[in-house]
Amino acid sequence: MALVFGCKEVAVNKNIKNDVETELEVGDSLIIDVGKKEEEEPIPKLKSLEGLADTLFVRLADYSDDFVYDLRYATENNFLKAKVYDCAECYTRVKTARALLLANKEFMDKGFKIKFFDCYRPNDVQYKMWAIVPNPQYVANPVKGSIHNKGGAVDITLVTLEGKELDMGTDFDFFGKRAYHDNLDLPKNILDNRLLLKETMEKHGFWSIRTEWWHYNLGTASNDKVANFKWDCD
């Protein structure tokens, strides 16, 4: 919007953003450019899982701001010592996402959040991992695939609402007895932390494996097909 003044009156244009005063003169008239205050960009709304097919792949960050991520296979900070993802994203099937949202709500009521180390893993990535460590004790054979390749498995831990990791006794992908669920020769606080994670995840349809405190499979995902869906990297 502009205001016009005649007779060469002195007019002042005050730049709202930079708070700088300038004079604008056009012939015998001055124009004050009032300008328009910049509008704030709207905050993107989170999506809803309502009505989506159970087997559709979705990006968890689009459906909740309450998860934490440290996706190790998009870095070299993992037992492979190699980056096997092009970029760090956490995808799962819709039914897995629903269960994770419910589990995380319960954790948050108790003062904690889920932190992800790995989520859905394309079968091509499974082949990359197998080429580096062709040992079924550590990496599932990609011909058969794993539940990670089906979008029904996650590797997780818990953090406080301020982001501090709970002590689980070992780092992610520590392959040894200290990571076993049935190893009770550990301090009470570690056993309590693992029990909180395990009992809550099981309550929401997940099951654990004996040798990895961080690994959880959605029970209804076992019969899903191995997938090779890949997300775009910006």
Side-chain angles (χ1 to χ4, degrees):
M1 180 177 71
L3 301 180
V4 180
F5 292 80
C7 303
K8 290 190 178 181
E9 295 177 295
V10 177
V12 175
N13 171 40
K14 192 164 186 177
N15 185 301
I16 295 172
K17 185 175 181 180
N18 298 315
D19 200 28
V20 176
E21 295 182 354
T22 57
E23 294 183 2
L24 297 176
E25 185 170 341
V26 181
D28 289 336
S29 301
L30 287 173
I31 300 175
I32 295 180
D33 185 2
V34 177
K36 186 188 285 187
K37 190 172 183 179
E38 293 183 6
E39 295 182 1
E40 293 182 2
E41 292 187 7
I43 299 173
K45 291 183 179 179
L46 292 171
K47 298 178 182 178
S48 171
L49 293 171
E50 186 177 353
L52 298 181
D54 278 350
T55 55
L56 184 70
F57 283 102
V58 293
R59 178 178 175 265
L60 278 183
D62 291 333
Y63 297 87
S64 176
D65 292 327
D66 296 324
F67 293 120
V68 180
Y69 304 94
D70 178 14
L71 299 169
R72 296 286 187 88
Y73 297 125
T75 74
E76 294 182 356
N77 182 21
N78 57 66
F79 81 103
L80 301 168
K81 306 301 180 187
K83 177 182 175 181
V84 291
Y85 288 117
D86 292 333
C87 60
E89 292 288 3
C90 180
Y91 278 77
T92 69
R93 303 268 193 186
V94 164
K95 60 184 176 181
T96 310
R98 288 195 181 105
L100 288 167
L101 288 168
L102 290 173
N104 205 43
K105 183 179 183 303
E106 182 166 342
F107 283 128
M108 290 184 70
D109 288 343
K110 298 175 181 177
F112 308 103
K113 294 180 181 181
I114 293 175
K115 180 176 183 176
F116 292 90
F117 297 122
D118 197 24
C119 306
Y120 160 69
R121 184 188 305 156
N123 198 226
D124 276 356
V125 173
Q126 195 73 28
Y127 273 97
K128 287 183 184 180
M129 296 174 71
W130 183 257
I132 299 168
V133 181
N135 185 334
Q137 184 175 352
Y138 306 112
V139 178
N141 190 318
V143 174
K144 182 180 179 181
S146 77
I147 299 185
H148 274 293
N149 306 139
K150 299 178 178 184
V154 289
D155 295 331
I156 60 174
T157 190
L158 292 176
V159 299
T160 65
L161 297 181
E162 294 72 37
K164 182 180 179 181
E165 277 193 31
L166 272 61
D167 188 354
M168 295 294 182
T170 76
D171 194 6
F172 164 63
D173 267 2
F174 173 88
F175 297 109
K177 186 177 179 181
R178 191 173 175 84
Y180 294 5
H181 278 290
D182 56 4
N183 178 10
L184 303 181
D185 187 21
L186 294 167
K188 184 178 184 301
N189 68 306
I190 292 173
L191 295 176
D192 288 346
N193 292 340
R194 289 186 182 184
L195 187 63
L196 171 64
L197 179 61
K198 186 173 184 288
E199 287 186 342
T200 306
M201 293 299 287
E202 288 177 348
K203 181 177 176 180
H204 293 281
F206 292 88
W207 52 274
S208 61
I209 61 176
R210 184 180 69 87
T211 58
E212 299 177 3
W213 61 258
W214 56 83
H215 183 98
Y216 286 89
N217 297 317
L218 186 69
T220 58
S222 299
N223 295 325
D224 290 342
K225 294 180 180 179
V226 168
N228 201 36
F229 158 77
K230 298 172 186 175
W231 53 85
D232 292 329
C233 293
D234 295 331

